[in-house]
Amino acid sequence: MSGRAQLMWDEAVTGYDFGPGHPMDPVRLALTMRLIEAYGLDRVARTVAAPPAGDSTLRLVHRQDYIAAVRAASADPRSADGSYGLGTVDDPAFAGMHDAAALIAGQSVGAAEAVWRGDALHAVNFAGGLHHAMPGSASGFCVYNDAALAIARLLELGVERVAYVDVDVHHGDGVQAAFWEDPRVLTISLHEHPRTLFPQTGWPEETGGQGAEGGAVNVALPAGTGDAGWLRAFHAVVPELLAAFRPQVLVTQHGADTHFEDPLAHLTVSVDAQRLVAAACHDLAHEHAAGRWLALGGGGYAVTDVVPRSWTHLVGIAAGRPVEPESPVPEDWRSEVLRRTRQLGPLRMTDGRKPQWRDFTGSGYDPADRLDQAILATRRAVFPSHGLLP
């Protein structure tokens, strides 16, 4: 093992820019990297820039006609008319869109290769996690599905079992769709209930296609779920399934939009709970996947207060040098936030929470509790397919 952790970064990923006023503001990526640098984590994790994904790699998930449409819209954004999901309110076309999206995809694919080949034990691409893109269309701010491409590349390299755990507030629909009928991939998504949030999928009854029954796992959380419920749901579903599935690589997506400040969703999770789930994913990778862990970013639209702190914690955990929650945020970084956004940055790496939760299997099921109903619905839908009791 030549390095414990690899951090994927190329400043050009900030060119993934849908324009002024769009929630997916690339400043969130730049500020995250500057905060990582402020803590010296870029010197602990080896920082690497991978090349953009070429067409042959993109075709592992995406149709060639769609790739051609992205190139065309990238060359002439005014030509995008909504077909292929390009030129919509969510996914407006912009000059250089193909290059920026392919570069982000390349970082995730490169990270997957590094982990499988032993160049790194853990790898992080916080610019990735664009989990809504479909084989033939853009969706939900996502042009190319780097998460699915990384998994597809692992399978191409000979990996027999990959587990994907998605804790973004939105359902990981594109990754689920890509591997719906592939028993080599287990996709687990914890997200706000589809009744109240895009993309209106991710019901517990969505459990995988023919020959891959139980390969898709969906925990649909009630709006308003906070730290205790979110952690209870994660630990009620994810560890048992990973133990049964025995993945060779764990891929995780850490959208920060579960946070109570996020403007686009309705969960009430803190940075402190997000940090605990990142740490749990690290531990689960060591317990079940020989430590092989690829961690991705995702959504997150509180771009100064939440996203940089959440993903800096993720990188610190992956690099083996976790940032203490009570750590003061470096003043130079706060000055950079003010300069770039005219907003005041956070003072500490914590929201002041010390999250605790009750274990689902140990504390008992409350039939009147909507969260417990959601957990049980998922366990009943998929656990028997893995030889587990619901």
Side-chain angles (χ1 to χ4, degrees):
M1 187 68 58
S2 60
R4 175 184 172 84
Q6 191 161 292
L7 173 62
M8 311 303 297
W9 179 251
D10 185 322
E11 203 74 31
V13 298
T14 60
Y16 191 81
D17 186 356
F18 290 111
H22 193 282
M24 185 76 99
D25 188 337
V27 75
R28 69 199 194 117
L29 302 179
L31 289 177
T32 298
M33 190 61 192
R34 301 294 87 82
L35 188 56
I36 288 166
E37 291 167 346
Y39 280 109
L41 297 175
D42 60 316
R43 298 190 297 273
V44 182
R46 187 161 55 100
T47 304
V48 174
D55 281 18
S56 62
T57 297
L58 294 172
R59 284 197 300 268
L60 293 173
V61 168
H62 295 289
R63 298 199 318 250
Q64 182 61 51
D65 61 314
Y66 172 61
I67 299 168
V70 174
R71 286 185 181 277
S74 184
D76 180 9
R78 292 172 299 179
S79 69
D81 59 4
S83 58
Y84 293 100
L86 301 168
T88 63
V89 172
D90 275 2
D91 297 279
F94 60 91
M97 178 173 62
H98 167 81
D99 292 340
L103 182 62
I104 291 173
Q107 305 314 301
S108 292
V109 170
E113 292 172 343
V115 167
W116 182 242
R117 290 172 175 164
D119 296 334
L121 190 60
H122 311 323
V124 182
N125 177 26
F126 60 81
L130 304 180
H131 59 170
H132 294 306
M134 293 292 177
S137 66
S139 177
F141 314 162
C142 305
V143 175
Y144 292 136
N145 196 319
D146 65 286
L149 288 163
I151 294 169
R153 178 60 176 148
L154 288 169
L155 298 176
E156 187 178 50
L157 290 172
V159 181
E160 296 174 351
R161 293 179 307 282
V162 181
Y164 171 76
V165 177
D166 187 320
V167 296
D168 192 289
V169 79
H170 301 93
H171 177 225
D173 56 340
V175 184
Q176 175 179 288
F179 304 105
W180 182 251
E181 295 180 341
D182 194 331
R184 298 172 296 174
V185 181
L186 173 69
T187 64
I188 306 174
S189 178
L190 288 85
H191 47 265
E192 186 179 328
H193 201 286
R195 284 198 191 95
T196 53
L197 195 66
F198 174 90
Q200 282 79 51
T201 58
W203 299 78
E205 296 80 14
E206 297 171 32
T207 58
Q210 185 173 1
E213 293 83 358
V217 182
N218 288 289
V219 187
L221 301 167
T225 297
D227 288 358
W230 192 63
L231 292 165
R232 179 173 168 87
F234 179 92
H235 288 283
V237 172
V238 177
E240 287 183 73
L241 287 171
L242 293 186
F245 187 69
R246 298 179 298 110
Q248 293 167 290
V249 182
L250 177 63
V251 180
T252 57
Q253 196 267 22
H254 297 265
D257 43 9
T258 51
H259 195 272
F260 56 79
E261 288 186 19
D262 198 89
L264 299 188
H266 318 97
L267 298 191
T268 57
V269 173
S270 70
V271 163
D272 302 287
Q274 292 173 343
R275 181 181 185 273
L276 289 179
V277 160
C281 289
H282 168 270
D283 293 346
L284 289 165
H286 281 276
E287 290 173 30
H288 305 298
R292 299 187 194 95
W293 181 33
L294 167 57
L296 307 171
Y301 309 101
V303 299
T304 59
D305 192 48
V306 177
V307 173
R309 289 189 298 156
S310 186
W311 292 346
T312 297
H313 278 306
L314 176 66
V315 171
I317 289 163
R321 203 175 87 183
V323 177
E324 290 300 320
E326 296 296 332
S327 300
V329 172
E331 193 58 42
D332 287 351
W333 183 80
R334 297 186 73 244
S335 298
E336 178 76 356
V337 171
L338 183 63
R339 184 184 70 81
R340 297 189 65 149
T341 69
R342 313 315 302 167
Q343 298 178 32
L344 295 176
L347 292 170
R348 294 185 299 161
M349 290 295 286
T350 176
D351 286 330
R353 307 274 184 92
K354 296 188 182 299
Q356 296 182 336
W357 72 97
R358 294 179 301 116
D359 180 72
F360 184 81
T361 56
S363 64
Y365 159 66
D366 180 356
D369 184 86
R370 288 196 304 150
L371 177 79
D372 279 6
Q373 291 169 5
I375 292 170
L376 192 60
T378 299
R379 290 174 63 105
R380 283 175 170 163
V382 296
F383 271 40
S385 297
H386 296 272
L388 301 170
L389 294 174

